[in-house]
Amino acid sequence: MSFIKRVADLLDANINALIDKVEDPEVMLEKYIMDMEQEYKETQAMVAKTIAARNMTQNKYNEAQKQVDVWEKNAMLAVEKGNDDLAKKALEEQSSYEQTRDSLKPELDNQSAEVDNLKLLLSKLESKINEAKSRKEVLVTKVANAQTKKKLAEFSAKISGNDSSEGFSRMEEKVNRMAAEADAMTELNGQSLEAQFETLKEDSDNSSMDDKLAQLKAKMGK
């Protein structure tokens, strides 16, 4: 039966394999559970129809058995009254209902077995749905944790990575190079203002020393 096969396929489905194939596991897991619940409803409807058919057969079987008992009592009553011909007719009716009853027995047994199988399948599917719901919560939590870890790792990589620091270093090197080039241009164009003042200071210091030397020589009569 194709319907039963579809339900069996759902029972054998692998949720983890499904997750690997989709971008949003939570959405697909929810859809998976909804599909299972739909299969459950369809199975319920099939079980209900099978039970209804079995009950109808059971009623026919019970009615046939009832008539068997009724006509047996009628035959016994006819015998008690000494009417063998009437007793035979009653036994003929009894035999007819026995044949009806016996012809219904295989169908009733098959329907009963099918009801039991479908009820078992329904129970398994219900357990599978409950299991899937529990696993869904665990898997969704795992996905959320994995996504959080991934974002943290990416953020950490940006902080600890070389992109920003290397860019800063390159800019610092560029500034230093520009300053060095400016100093070189100044040197080519003459002494810097600071260097000129340093020269004046040196000349002043030398003049002071010459004065002291002249004073010393005068003192010594030289």
Side-chain angles (χ1 to χ4, degrees):
M1 185 182 297
S2 60
F3 177 81
I4 300 300
K5 185 178 185 301
R6 292 204 310 273
V7 177
D9 290 341
L10 279 175
L11 292 178
D12 295 335
N14 189 319
I15 295 180
N16 292 324
L18 179 65
I19 290 178
D20 294 336
K21 299 178 181 178
V22 297
E23 294 181 356
D24 193 337
E26 184 173 3
V27 172
M28 292 306 298
L29 286 171
E30 186 62 32
K31 182 180 182 303
Y32 177 86
I33 292 173
M34 290 176 63
D35 289 344
M36 292 181 69
E37 289 176 338
Q38 181 60 35
E39 294 289 348
Y40 182 84
K41 291 179 182 179
E42 293 179 10
T43 305
Q44 273 187 319
M46 178 166 285
V47 171
K49 289 181 180 179
T50 306
I51 290 175
R54 191 276 311 273
N55 289 345
M56 291 179 63
T57 304
Q58 183 71 61
N59 291 336
K60 291 178 181 179
Y61 180 89
N62 292 342
E63 181 61 26
Q65 181 60 52
K66 178 180 178 182
Q67 292 300 320
V68 168
D69 296 338
V70 167
W71 286 106
E72 184 180 31
K73 290 180 180 179
N74 289 339
M76 293 173 66
L77 178 61
V79 170
E80 289 177 355
K81 298 298 183 179
N83 192 338
D84 290 347
D85 290 338
L86 188 59
K88 288 179 180 179
K89 291 180 180 181
L91 290 174
E92 288 176 357
E93 290 293 327
Q94 181 191 35
S95 178
S96 175
Y97 280 109
E98 284 177 342
Q99 291 178 5
T100 300
R101 178 199 63 190
D102 293 343
S103 67
L104 291 171
K105 188 64 167 64
E107 182 180 0
L108 181 60
D109 290 341
N110 289 335
Q111 289 175 334
S112 297
E114 187 174 3
V115 167
D116 292 339
N117 290 334
L118 286 172
K119 283 184 175 180
L120 180 60
L121 180 61
L122 196 63
S123 177
K124 288 182 178 179
L125 184 55
E126 183 177 13
S127 297
K128 197 67 178 179
I129 290 173
N130 292 333
E131 178 188 353
K133 288 180 177 180
S134 298
R135 291 177 65 190
K136 176 202 166 187
E137 297 303 321
V138 174
L139 292 170
V140 168
T141 300
K142 285 184 178 180
V143 170
N145 291 339
Q147 291 174 341
T148 299
K149 289 180 179 179
K150 181 179 179 181
K151 290 180 180 179
L152 288 175
E154 291 174 350
F155 184 71
S156 176
K158 289 181 180 179
I159 294 177
S160 60
N162 295 325
D163 292 345
S164 298
S165 60
E166 286 182 356
F168 188 89
S169 297
R170 287 195 299 270
M171 184 58 65
E172 183 179 22
E173 182 180 353
K174 183 176 181 180
V175 170
N176 291 336
R177 184 169 60 253
M178 291 172 65
E181 290 175 355
D183 290 341
M185 290 297 296
T186 299
E187 184 176 344
L188 290 174
N189 293 329
Q191 287 185 321
S192 66
L193 185 61
E194 291 181 355
Q196 293 178 32
F197 275 105
E198 288 296 328
T199 301
L200 290 177
K201 289 180 181 179
E202 291 178 359
D203 291 344
S204 178
D205 290 342
N206 291 334
S207 177
S208 177
M209 291 298 104
D210 290 341
D211 291 342
K212 287 184 179 183
L213 178 61
Q215 292 174 3
L216 178 62
K217 287 182 177 182
K219 184 177 180 180
M220 296 172 61
K222 299 289 185 179

